[in-house]
Amino acid sequence: MGRGDHNRATGKNFFAQTPKNQLSDGIDVEYSEEFADHDDKVAQARSRAADRRAKEK
């Protein structure tokens, strides 16, 4: 044991953990195709391409 190790509590979570039912899947459900401009459509295409690359690994 080094200096100060005996002051640290063991077995405790110091940071609050997010409950599993509150975790997001990363999909934005408020996206509206009818209001999308060119930049939005390009971003959607890039996102789909990135998802494909991630799933290939």
Side-chain angles (χ1 to χ4, degrees):
M1 257 172 66
R3 218 169 136 189
D5 286 339
H6 63 280
N7 292 333
R8 210 171 37 197
T10 57
K12 290 186 179 179
N13 289 333
F14 290 102
F15 298 106
Q17 302 298 312
T18 304
K20 289 185 179 181
N21 63 351
Q22 292 181 356
L23 294 176
S24 172
D25 58 0
I27 297 174
D28 186 10
V29 295
E30 295 187 22
Y31 176 78
S32 176
E33 186 71 31
E34 66 184 73
F35 296 119
D37 61 359
H38 176 69
D39 292 336
D40 292 332
K41 293 181 185 203
V42 169
Q44 285 290 334
R46 291 181 66 187
S47 175
R48 283 191 298 273
D51 287 341
R52 266 195 314 266
R53 287 191 305 269
K55 288 180 182 179
E56 288 176 1
K57 290 185 177 181

